[in-house]
Amino acid sequence: MNGYPLHPAIVQENKIIGNNISLRNVSTEDAEFIISLRTEGQKGRFISATSSDISAQIKWIDSYLTGSGQAYFIIEDKFSNKLGTIRMYDQNEDSFCWGSWVIKDGAPPQTAIESAMMLYTYALKLGFNRAHFDVRKENLSVRRFHERFGAIMIKENDLDVFYEITKTSILNSMKKYHRFLPNGIRVE
Ligand SMILES: CC(C)(COP(=O)(O)OP(=O)(O)OC[C@H]1O[C@@H](n2cnc3c(N)ncnc32)[C@H](O)[C@@H]1OP(=O)(O)O)[C@@H](O)C(=O)NCCC(=O)NCCS
């Protein structure tokens, strides 16, 4: 209803354009960028380990591109400079999981919130009604980000905290943070 599909599914998209950034479908040419983003410096501390084997990364991207059920994007600025990554995966009925969220040092500060808002806008457009994700317990700044956005902690174990966010909370935050994505998204 409300123009949203009744049976959501995660689909890959060539490009989703926002305000200052775009989400572009990952290609095998991004393998090196992804490896350096995830393995250099402190960025990899709270995400699953990444092999620095380029051919393994290319193989992974190739199977992603021919597979289904996930959408893995490079976050880019208006000049096609690569700023980071974000991914939707693990659909569970009307809920999707998102993660692989890494933004390189030096990216404009609004990149995080705009990329999250773009992903949520896209997910609602696909018909999803909620999202779920887990965050390393010690990843306090990211936990704070999700909590400010309206995510609710539903369980935890020694390592991770598990969150859910409903469509109502997503829409409330979209209103609150409208200034970061004033014209919504355009899918190309
Ligand atoms: C996760 C990641 C992409 C988030 O990006 P980030 O830039 O650190 O995100 P922040 O929460 O600091 O937000 C950046 C800025 O956006 C703005 N912002 C974010 N949330 C906001 C909100 N709810 N309201 C208003 N402004 C907000 C602020 O300007 C904020 O800067 P400040 O609060 O430090 O002044 C980044 O930290 C990263 O690459 N981490 C390593 C990998 C990782 O841990 N990934 C997550 C795995 S679950």
Side-chain angles (χ1 to χ4, degrees):
M1 301 292 142
N2 299 324
Y4 294 120
L6 286 177
H7 300 291
I10 299 174
V11 289
Q12 296 179 17
E13 213 57 77
N14 285 337
K15 199 165 183 178
I16 303 173
I17 298 169
N19 192 34
N20 294 297
I21 55 171
S22 298
L23 306 183
R24 170 181 62 70
N25 201 16
V26 158
S27 91
T28 50
E29 283 161 27
D30 300 310
E32 211 166 330
F33 171 73
I34 293 171
I35 289 175
S36 60
L37 184 69
R38 294 177 64 97
T39 58
E40 281 168 14
Q42 294 290 301
K43 296 280 170 182
R45 257 185 320 162
F46 300 125
I47 55 178
S48 45
T50 309
S51 153
S52 47
D53 177 350
I54 270 262
S55 58
Q57 183 65 230
I58 290 174
K59 219 164 151 189
W60 191 95
I61 295 171
D62 258 334
S63 81
Y64 155 74
L65 288 169
T66 52
S68 63
Q70 339 185 30
Y72 192 17
F73 298 105
I74 298 290
I75 304 168
E76 287 187 339
D77 70 12
K78 287 190 170 140
F79 307 101
S80 303
N81 294 310
K82 301 176 192 189
L83 302 178
T85 57
I86 193 166
R87 180 165 71 110
M88 301 176 75
Y89 58 104
D90 188 26
Q91 174 170 2
N92 182 3
E93 298 178 355
D94 64 346
S95 181
F96 71 99
C97 178
W98 70 280
S100 304
W101 193 32
V102 188
I103 293 173
K104 72 174 194 181
D105 290 335
Q110 80 284 351
T111 307
I113 191 147
E114 188 178 339
S115 60
M117 288 175 73
M118 287 177 70
L119 198 81
Y120 279 130
T121 307
Y122 179 56
L124 295 186
K125 209 173 144 65
L126 295 175
F128 286 96
N129 286 317
R130 60 191 77 245
H132 57 278
F133 39 83
D134 47 274
V135 181
R136 292 278 188 270
K137 258 186 172 160
E138 293 169 24
N139 201 351
L140 295 179
S141 72
V142 172
R143 288 177 58 185
R144 217 162 26 240
F145 181 99
H146 289 308
E147 286 164 15
R148 277 207 280 179
F149 215 86
I152 303 293
M153 183 174 136
I154 48 153
K155 61 178 181 183
E156 60 184 301
N157 61 27
D158 288 347
L159 194 63
D160 294 309
V161 185
F162 297 81
Y163 287 100
E164 276 182 8
I165 186 166
T166 62
K167 181 170 165 179
T168 306
S169 298
I170 294 170
L171 289 172
N172 280 340
S173 289
M174 291 298 190
K175 265 192 220 140
K176 194 161 139 199
Y177 300 127
H178 181 75
R179 67 186 181 282
F180 292 105
L181 192 62
N183 303 312
I185 58 169
R186 207 174 79 236
V187 176
E188 271 194 351

